[in-house]
């Protein structure tokens, strides 16, 4: 175990509409931080990667990606709440794309990054082409995902741990000297009509406090971004699933948001039920310069915004 963080989840006494509820009490949760465990974590990490990569996960070979993550257990962190034998609820790790360029998944991801940026951000595409066509500057692929009810406050310490692990690995002569980091994430998009429907739904819930909280509008923002979305509506209608993305974007030299490449299943197209929340989920990729110390700096900036858990 790396360390333990006790979290008094202050949001547990808040209803979905942001109002206080005396019927729900605070819950203390101890988050245990572990190295990835090849004997236990395979299936849970594969599920987290599937959640991160959504319907493009299959073409990016998440089986091979999961095995690669578990092959470097001293670099990367998982969070569990029920001991080392339990499933991880969150993951943060970094993989050397140059060192593993022949790996099936890394090769697929590199081609995927180039394919997405070729049509959506030529400058980003040109930078990636330059980075992938040489061998002196190494690029790290940062993978971060968690269950939706995990608080954002667990992320800064994970970034700091990863920075420490990279530092120790470099001291041991291991290949983690990155000049750039690619961070994959996910977002969702709301049309103007959907924005209006959600606003009306929120207004209705506030005026009907006696209604059961189980009676919810089908199309709702995910819990982890509901509070931010209520106070700030982006002009392009794109919202982050991960609130810390906004901090990363401020340091990114390139970023792009894009529709996933794999087509929606026919049934989903017909019913327009686009994911568990009825949302138009999309991918996001961000490029920052630097390596381990960049992760530490980002973790510090996240603490300034979100506080400590």
């Amino acid at each position: 175990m790396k360390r333990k963080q006790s979290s008094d989840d202050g949001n547990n006494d808040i209803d979905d509409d942001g109002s206080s509820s005396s019927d729900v009490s605070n819950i203390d949760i101890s988050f245990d931080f572990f190295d990835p465990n090849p004997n236990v974590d395979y299936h849970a990490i594969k599920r987290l990667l599937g959640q991160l990569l959504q319907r493009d996960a299959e073409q990016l070979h998440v089986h091979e990606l999961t095995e690669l993550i578990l092959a470097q257990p001293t670099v990367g962190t998982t969070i569990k709440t029920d001991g080392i034998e339990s499933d991880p609820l969150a993951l943060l790790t970094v993989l050397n794309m140059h060192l593993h360029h022949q790996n099936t998944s890394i090769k697929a991801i590199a081609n995927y990054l180039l394919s997405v940026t070729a049509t959506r951000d030529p400058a980003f595409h040109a930078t990636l082409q330059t980075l992938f066509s040489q061998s002196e500057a190494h690029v790290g692929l940062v993978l971060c995902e968690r269950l939706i009810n995990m608080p954002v406050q667990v992320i800064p310490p994970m970034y700091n741990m990863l920075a420490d692990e990279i530092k120790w690995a470099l001291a041991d002569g291991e290949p983690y000297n990155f000049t750039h980091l690619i961070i994959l994430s996910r977002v969702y998009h709301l049309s103007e009509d959907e924005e209006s429907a959600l606003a009306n739904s929120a207004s209705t819930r506030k005026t009907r406090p006696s209604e059961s909280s189980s009676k919810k509008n089908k199309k709702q923002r995910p819990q982890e971004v509901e509070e931010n979305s209520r106070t700030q509506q982006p002009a392009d209608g794109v919202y982050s699933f991960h609130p810390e993305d906004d901090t990363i974007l401020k340091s990114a030299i390139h970023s792009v948001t894009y529709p996933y490449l794999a087509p929606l299943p026919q049934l989903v197209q017909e019913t327009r039920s686009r994911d568990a929340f009825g949302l138009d989920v999309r991918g996001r990729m961000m490029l920052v310069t630097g390596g381990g110390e960049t992760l530490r700096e980002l973790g510090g900036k996240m603490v300034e915004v979100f506080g400590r858990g």
Side-chain angles (χ1 to χ4, degrees):
M1 185 176 71
K2 295 181 175 182
R3 55 163 289 195
K4 180 179 288 185
Q5 173 177 317
S6 180
S7 175
D8 184 5
D9 190 350
N11 289 330
N12 282 294
D13 59 353
I14 302 296
D15 287 337
D16 285 340
D17 63 358
S19 61
S20 296
S21 170
S22 59
D23 297 331
V24 183
S25 58
N26 290 342
I27 300 174
D28 287 332
I29 302 175
S30 292
F31 294 117
D32 296 334
F33 295 74
F34 293 92
D35 295 323
N37 186 336
N39 299 320
V40 176
D41 295 347
Y42 172 82
H43 293 289
I45 288 178
K46 186 178 179 181
R47 284 195 297 271
L48 287 171
L49 293 175
Q51 177 177 293
L52 173 64
L53 302 172
Q54 295 286 304
R55 63 179 184 270
D56 284 351
E58 183 176 355
Q59 70 186 76
L60 299 179
H61 304 281
V62 290
H63 165 71
E64 288 81 359
L65 187 60
T66 302
E67 290 192 329
L68 190 58
I69 290 169
L70 293 172
Q72 55 166 51
T74 60
V75 175
T77 297
T78 64
I79 294 180
K80 304 182 179 185
T81 59
D82 197 23
I84 193 171
E85 296 296 322
S86 61
D87 284 343
L89 309 179
L91 167 74
L92 174 65
T93 192
V94 61
L95 299 169
N96 188 323
M97 295 191 71
H98 282 72
L99 179 68
H100 303 295
H101 70 280
Q102 292 297 334
N103 177 275
T104 302
S105 181
I106 296 299
K107 186 183 298 184
I109 290 172
N111 290 330
Y112 177 81
L113 299 175
L114 291 170
S115 177
V116 167
T117 56
T119 56
R120 298 197 163 268
D121 191 332
F124 196 169
H125 179 75
T127 299
L128 291 178
Q129 279 188 315
T130 299
L131 289 172
F132 292 160
S133 63
Q134 52 78 54
S135 58
E136 296 300 319
H138 284 203
V139 176
L141 175 66
V142 177
L143 300 168
C144 184
E145 187 57 286
R146 58 189 182 273
L147 296 188
I148 194 168
N149 58 347
M150 293 287 288
V152 65
Q153 287 79 11
V154 303
I155 299 300
M158 294 179 80
Y159 267 68
N160 288 331
M161 289 178 200
L162 186 56
D164 285 338
E165 290 162 350
I166 290 174
K167 180 180 178 180
W168 299 331
L170 288 172
D172 291 338
E174 297 182 37
Y176 291 93
N177 187 22
F178 302 119
T179 62
H180 295 77
L181 299 169
I182 293 175
I183 302 168
L184 300 183
S185 190
R186 55 195 174 93
V187 303
Y188 65 96
H189 175 265
L190 296 179
S191 67
E192 291 184 4
D193 289 343
E194 289 167 338
E195 289 276 14
S196 298
L198 281 169
N200 292 336
S201 175
S203 176
T204 300
R205 291 202 304 272
K206 288 181 180 179
T207 58
R208 299 180 183 176
S210 61
E211 286 192 3
S212 170
S213 62
S214 64
K215 298 178 181 178
K216 298 180 179 179
N217 188 289
K218 182 177 180 181
K219 190 182 297 292
Q220 295 190 55
R221 295 186 180 95
Q223 175 183 344
E224 64 192 86
V225 290
E226 174 72 20
E227 186 66 27
N228 290 341
S229 302
R230 198 180 294 120
T231 58
Q232 184 178 4
Q233 294 184 356
D236 59 3
V238 173
Y239 295 83
S240 302
F241 273 97
H242 297 161
E244 67 272 17
D245 279 7
D246 293 338
T247 300
I248 300 170
L249 285 168
K250 292 177 181 177
S251 298
I253 60 172
H254 293 291
S255 66
V256 65
T257 298
Y258 59 96
Y260 289 111
L261 302 187
L264 285 167
Q266 185 62 36
L267 179 61
V268 175
Q269 293 183 41
E270 293 173 355
T271 62
R272 295 177 59 85
S273 177
R274 289 173 288 190
D275 80 331
F277 300 100
L279 298 175
D280 176 10
V281 182
R282 304 180 182 185
R284 169 182 282 162
M285 56 184 70
M286 300 168 280
L287 181 69
V288 298
T289 57
E293 292 311 304
T294 294
L295 293 171
R296 194 184 310 280
E297 292 170 6
L298 289 172
K301 292 176 181 178
M302 292 173 193
V303 168
E304 293 176 4
V305 177
F306 305 110
R308 300 181 184 275

